[in-house]
Amino acid sequence: MALFPAFAGAAEPGETPASGSEGSRRELDWLSNPSFSTEDALKLHQHTAKASDPAPKRSQFISRSPSRSELSGGSDTNEDLKKSTKKRKGKKKKHHHHKKRKKKTREESSNSESDLDSECMRDKPRGSDTNREREAATLNLEDITSNVATNRFVWLEDIQALTAETFRTDKKPDPANWEYKSLYRGDIARYKRKGDSCLGIDLKKQCITWESSMVEKKQSPKRPERYFTKNSVKLLTTDGIPVYSKSQTSFGSSTFIPVSQLDSDAPTTTTCVNPLGIYDPLTTLWLQGKGPPEHETLKQQASQETSGNVNSILMAKVEEYNRMVRENPRDVHTWMEFVSFQDEILRGPSPYAIKEGEQEIRRKSFKLILEKKLAILERAIESNPNDVDLKLAKLKLCTEFWEPSTLIKEWQKLVFLHPNNPLLWQKYLLFCQSQFSTFSVSKVHSLYGKCLSTLAAVQDGSMVSHPILPGTEEAMLGVFLQQCHFLRQAGHSEKAVSLFQALVDFTFFKPDSVKDLPTRGQVEFFEPFWDSGEPRFGEKGAKGWKSWMHQQEKGGWIIINKPDDDEEDGDEDQEIKDKTLPRWQIWLDIECSRETRHWLPWRPDKTKKQTEEDCEDPERQVGQCLQAKNKKKLKSQGKKSKKLAKNLLKASENRNNLSLWKLYAYLEWLLGNTEDARKVFDTALCLAGTEGMRNTQLCNLSLLYASLEVELLESLEETVMSRAVHILTKLAESGPYVPYPGHVLSVNILKARKAYEHALQDYLNESPVSNWDQVSSSNQLVSLVGCYALFQYLTVGIDAAVLICRHISEKLKGSASRKFEGIGENLGIHNFPTALEAVTLMHTNLLRYHMKVSIYPLNPLREALTEALKLYPSNQSLWRSYIQIQSKSHNASKARRFFDSVTRSAKSLEPWLFAIQAEEMRKKLVENVQRVDVGEIYSTIPETGLKNRIKTLFEHAIQSENGTHCPLLWRMYLNFLFSVGDKERSKGLFYKALQNCPWAKVLYMDAIEYFPDQLQETLDLMTEKELRVRVPIEELELLLED
């Protein structure tokens, strides 16, 4: 290619030149330009001289291209190019006028220059045929270039016939280049530089410093990822890489396991396919045409298997569940497991996804899983239309989709179809009282009445359309207790007390003449007694429904109430003690004071000629109120209880009742009358006779007496000769009881140990295992084990006592009766003790006492508590002991892991509550240590993150099934947020708590204390929901004016 394309037709080196000597050409070949022509240069000079004339005012554009007349027969490409350029010119017509003039001047200049170049090219000498062909190609190229140049813009897509580079030369000078230091930035191509390096340099020896006017942004250091981030959670779901030992050599006496490492500094071997030694072994084998070694192939297969292992397992489980429900559609348990399995699919990658992005979308789609669950439940209900559990699960799931009004209608349909199901009624009542938008006390109270009347009709056979289900009577008691708790928490404590009075009279003092009547008929006879104004159960002078009805048949009686000498009538204290306090605090003080004093129903005193119109508060109709202070009330209650116990024991039918004697003696002990209590205990033991350990009540009485005496011991040195050993020895002798003489014979201790051992062994051999969890048999076993374990502890030591408890626990672990535990659940009592639970509790209490009075390791007690709490996670006594011993340890990791494992498996709320309490105790300890100024400073490590950990525990607890409707849990959470200063979040939490527990009056009172500026709004809300407000705001204003 020529140096100057415009003179491409000149002779090239090696060819015969047009003029001149060939020898001189060769000598000065490195200085010569073969394409230079003297004639062309002369013409260019003349043209330049003409251009310098000031007459033409337009700038000239030099373009090395032939004239248009020579290319009149050009290709269609040029015509297309002209058309496209005209279209683009039409788009540019909206520019300003001065731009149009400038553009026109440049076009005229280029046309004139193009004509001049055409004339120059006509006079140019021709070469050989080869040069002519080359010249023709060059002319075509220059023609296209000229056409493009006249339009100022180059569009490579429109230039299809180009085979060389396209360019144009602009010789117009730019004065700005002289004025400024650099070229205009718009004329410089833009690009982004990646990094500060350059290709081809040695990084160890060379470097390039780039000068840039832009200020580099400071790159913030990348924060390490926490365990809860998406990437970290993803790592938890992946399977680990299997690790195996290459050598089976024994490590001998080495204190560590050696880990083999690759020697990175080892020299690499060079081969013919790897001359530089830069390929890894697998690449080298591939270049040689060989496959990888066998163990490498296995590794690759293992990695592929682990990547698809999760999906294959999930798909296999889905297929298995589908097969089981297809083969046995009546298996409700399998259907419920299939629904729960969808949560596992949500945690892992979806087996239904094909693409990687789709897997991520499905993993995040919670609604998709809910719809899948709903579809499974609908299929299950089609196969089992009468199953209530499936329908309840569907309603629980639909709370995420349906409106509250739709949910209520579905609940009503379900209750209408299954009116004989007590569990369904309990859940329906809880749902209705937890709907804030439709809640009111009167509505829910009427629903409780409808539920009890319906179940009573099923119980007595009045409703013949539905059969009675097992456990209906116990479930009715559970519904009744739930109703009383609802009324008490709503502030209507008088109504709750009245319900208990009515239940006791209606159940235990029923006349014989109405026992055979259906429930509705019995209620008709009970109403006259209830409205007669006669004293009811718990009130002074009460004789019961049976006695009242018997006396009414004889003509009735006249009640003469004698004044009670022990009753102390005190005037009501002044309600407002300090008017300078804030208004909200005065209201809280008066409201709490009236709740404390006015918990009983108000009833007119006929001796004072009172009527129902004399009651100032209509909500308290029916009873009287206690006006005495706490201390006076405590003393008067103690005196009244002692007097009542003595009167009961004087009755002939109660003189040998050991349970009454035990309660009377324990009452004296609690009141601090130790000697009087001992006299009562000794008297009761003397009256018991010689039945010994065969009498369960005698065993319980002796165990309580001995336990109280052990608590009085200051040390374990004289336990063998203590009063407690004397009591337990006399129980084993099965003879008449003799009061404590001051010492115990060693022979009697040996005989008692043998007697306890034989009695326990005979009981385990004779009594069938199935009867151990029955109430009577359970009490006898627990009392016998308690007496024997305490006797061994006092005479032998703690190890002997623990051995007995462990032996009995192992015997009882396999005999837990589901029926017995179900009774407790139906009663609404979750801590109803079984034999194993009672023995475990005695075991832990004995260890705690021994650690209190002597030195003993903590680990046995911790292990006993953890084993017991796994079996009984709702036992509050065990949890209280656990957090007490864990509070002494600075390492909270074990306790946290244990709490986490129990909360995952247990449905009860106690593990959550005690886990929160344990963290709050630790937080309080850390804060006390950090803020201490004087005194002893404990060497503890301050623990960060406790605040967030407690918040997380609260959030998980309120999302549980039992925690959602627990007012105590919401109050604790609200108090915690307010204590840490998060007032805005506390307000949001308060309204969230009302959505789940709108009946809890204490939540509203807490809100008044935390947000005093909303006193009026909170009271209006309480009035709207019909909660009990004892101090209306109008009464408060009148009291403040007085």
Side-chain angles (χ1 to χ4, degrees), residues 656 658 688-702 731 780 783:
N656 295 326
L658 294 182
T690 60
E691 295 184 12
M693 291 178 287
R694 294 187 299 272
N695 191 341
T696 304
Q697 293 184 356
L698 180 58
C699 286
N700 291 331
L701 179 64
S702 302
L731 174 66
Q780 184 178 0
S783 59

Side-chain angles (χ1 to χ4, degrees), residues 839-1018:
V839 171
T840 305
L841 192 60
M842 286 192 303
H843 179 197
T844 56
N845 289 337
L846 197 60
L847 287 174
R848 285 183 58 199
Y849 172 78
H850 185 69
M851 290 181 60
K852 181 181 177 181
V853 298
S854 63
I855 300 175
Y856 194 73
L858 185 62
N859 196 45
L861 177 58
R862 183 187 288 113
E863 290 180 354
L865 286 172
T866 52
E867 291 178 3
L869 288 170
K870 289 177 182 178
L871 294 174
Y872 305 102
S874 60
N875 192 301
Q876 299 180 13
S877 300
L878 294 175
W879 279 118
R880 201 171 292 112
S881 303
Y882 183 76
I883 63 172
Q884 283 179 0
I885 65 171
Q886 288 297 333
S887 63
K888 301 176 182 179
S889 173
H890 296 299
N891 184 10
S893 59
K894 289 184 178 180
R896 287 170 179 170
R897 287 196 297 268
F898 178 69
F899 275 117
D900 182 67
S901 63
V902 176
T903 52
R904 288 176 184 271
S905 58
K907 294 183 178 180
S908 57
L909 191 60
E910 283 82 1
W912 290 109
L913 294 174
F914 283 98
I916 294 169
Q917 184 181 1
E919 296 295 341
E920 287 183 340
M921 290 171 61
R922 179 170 292 276
K923 182 175 180 293
K924 185 178 180 180
L925 175 63
V926 171
E927 289 177 350
N928 291 338
V929 172
Q930 290 177 339
R931 296 175 182 176
V932 69
D933 296 328
V934 294
E936 184 178 2
I937 301 179
Y938 297 94
S939 58
T940 59
I941 301 176
E943 198 165 340
T944 58
L946 285 174
K947 175 182 172 183
N948 294 329
R949 178 179 289 275
I950 295 173
K951 284 184 180 180
T952 304
L953 286 174
F954 272 119
E955 288 294 335
H956 283 86
I958 61 178
Q959 292 174 5
S960 61
E961 183 178 358
N962 294 324
T964 305
H965 307 298
C966 178
L968 174 61
L969 184 62
W970 288 104
R971 292 188 68 193
M972 291 173 62
Y973 194 8
L974 189 62
N975 179 57
F976 174 75
L977 288 182
F978 190 79
S979 64
V980 297
D982 199 348
K983 187 175 181 181
E984 291 300 324
R985 190 172 179 182
S986 301
K987 189 175 295 184
L989 184 69
F990 165 66
Y991 290 111
K992 187 178 179 181
L994 292 187
Q995 295 292 331
N996 294 278
C997 304
W999 72 89
K1001 181 182 176 181
V1002 288
L1003 288 175
Y1004 298 85
M1005 298 183 71
D1006 288 344
I1008 292 174
E1009 181 179 356
Y1010 298 146
F1011 319 112
D1013 54 337
Q1014 296 184 354
L1015 173 62
Q1016 185 64 49
E1017 291 82 353
T1018 307

Side-chain angles (χ1 to χ4, degrees), residues 491-511:
H492 299 272
S493 58
E494 300 93 342
K495 293 182 180 180
V497 173
S498 298
L499 286 176
F500 275 112
Q501 288 178 323
L503 179 66
V504 172
D505 265 322
F506 187 80
T507 305
F508 299 104
F509 298 96
K510 186 181 298 184

Side-chain angles (χ1 to χ4, degrees), residues 686-867:
C686 292
L687 294 174
T690 60
E691 295 184 12
M693 291 178 287
R694 294 187 299 272
N695 191 341
T696 304
Q697 293 184 356
L698 180 58
C699 286
N700 291 331
L701 179 64
S702 302
L703 180 60
L704 176 62
Y705 190 11
S707 301
L708 294 175
E709 291 291 342
V710 170
E711 292 180 358
L712 296 179
L713 296 176
E714 298 180 356
S715 64
L716 298 178
E717 296 177 356
E718 300 179 356
T719 55
V720 180
M721 298 299 172
S722 63
R723 186 187 296 267
V725 175
H726 171 76
I727 297 168
L728 296 174
T729 303
K730 288 299 180 181
L731 174 66
E733 291 178 356
S734 300
Y737 180 78
V738 179
Y740 178 57
H743 63 278
V744 183
L745 298 177
S746 301
V747 178
N748 295 336
I749 294 176
L750 294 175
K751 291 180 179 179
R753 183 176 295 113
K754 288 292 183 181
Y756 277 118
E757 184 178 350
H758 288 299
L760 184 59
Q761 191 65 35
D762 293 342
Y763 179 84
L764 295 177
N765 294 334
E766 295 176 0
S767 179
V769 177
S770 58
N771 295 336
W772 286 357
D773 273 335
Q774 295 180 0
V775 176
S776 58
S777 181
S778 173
N779 291 336
Q780 184 178 0
L781 177 62
V782 170
S783 59
L784 181 59
V785 172
C787 292
Y788 186 24
L790 184 59
F791 178 80
Q792 287 290 89
Y793 173 70
L794 294 174
T795 57
V796 180
I798 184 65
D799 295 335
V802 168
L803 185 62
I804 295 173
C805 294
R806 288 179 177 175
H807 176 67
I808 299 300
S809 298
E810 292 175 358
K811 291 280 187 180
L812 293 173
K813 278 184 179 179
S815 63
S817 175
R818 299 296 180 186
K819 180 180 178 181
F820 187 75
E821 294 177 358
I823 295 175
E825 292 180 359
N826 291 331
L827 290 174
I829 305 170
H830 300 289
N831 57 346
F832 202 76
T834 61
L836 178 58
E837 187 175 2
V839 171
T840 305
L841 192 60
M842 286 192 303
H843 179 197
T844 56
N845 289 337
L846 197 60
L847 287 174
R848 285 183 58 199
Y849 172 78
H850 185 69
M851 290 181 60
K852 181 181 177 181
V853 298
S854 63
I855 300 175
Y856 194 73
L858 185 62
N859 196 45
L861 177 58
R862 183 187 288 113
E863 290 180 354
L865 286 172
T866 52
E867 291 178 3

Side-chain angles (χ1 to χ4, degrees), residues 448-608:
Y448 274 104
K450 182 180 179 180
C451 168
L452 290 174
S453 60
T454 303
L455 292 178
V458 174
Q459 177 72 18
D460 57 25
S462 301
M463 182 179 290
V464 295
S465 59
H466 291 80
I468 182 174
L469 298 179
T472 300
E473 189 173 3
E474 293 84 357
M476 289 176 64
L477 178 59
V479 173
F480 175 79
L481 293 176
Q482 185 176 337
Q483 181 184 13
C484 293
H485 282 299
F486 163 73
L487 291 173
R488 179 185 60 84
Q489 292 174 354
H492 299 272
S493 58
E494 300 93 342
K495 293 182 180 180
V497 173
S498 298
L499 286 176
F500 275 112
Q501 288 178 323
L503 179 66
V504 172
D505 265 322
F506 187 80
T507 305
F508 299 104
F509 298 96
K510 186 181 298 184
D512 297 334
S513 58
V514 300
K515 287 184 177 180
D516 297 333
L517 297 177
T519 306
R520 189 175 297 275
Q522 295 178 10
V523 172
E524 292 177 357
F525 280 95
F526 182 74
E527 286 178 354
F529 162 72
W530 189 255
D531 297 334
S532 64
E534 296 297 324
R536 301 166 186 171
F537 178 80
E539 298 177 3
K540 184 180 178 181
K543 297 184 179 296
W545 177 26
K546 183 177 181 180
S547 300
W548 176 85
M549 195 168 182
H550 181 69
Q551 190 65 28
Q552 287 295 316
E553 294 173 356
K554 295 182 178 180
W557 56 40
I558 300 175
I559 301 176
I560 302 177
N561 292 326
K562 297 182 181 180
D564 193 353
D565 297 335
D566 295 332
E567 185 178 356
E568 299 182 6
D569 295 328
D571 295 331
E572 195 170 309
D573 295 337
Q574 185 178 0
E575 291 187 319
I576 302 180
K577 298 179 181 179
D578 189 0
K579 292 186 178 182
T580 60
L581 295 175
R583 188 179 177 209
W584 64 271
Q585 190 170 351
I586 295 175
W587 183 88
L588 277 178
D589 292 341
I590 300 176
E591 184 74 15
C592 295
S593 175
R594 290 187 179 181
E595 276 196 345
T596 304
R597 293 182 285 109
H598 299 170
W599 60 277
L600 279 176
W602 185 91
R603 298 193 63 189
D605 190 354
K606 295 182 180 181
T607 59
K608 298 180 180 179

Side-chain angles (χ1 to χ4, degrees), residues 1-10 35 40 44 63-65 117 121 124 135 138-139 142 167:
M1 181 178 179
L3 180 62
F4 298 101
F7 305 98
S35 63
D40 295 339
L44 283 175
S63 178
R64 298 178 180 85
S65 61
D117 291 341
M121 295 302 294
K124 189 174 180 180
E135 182 181 358
T138 307
L139 289 175
E142 292 173 353
F167 66 91

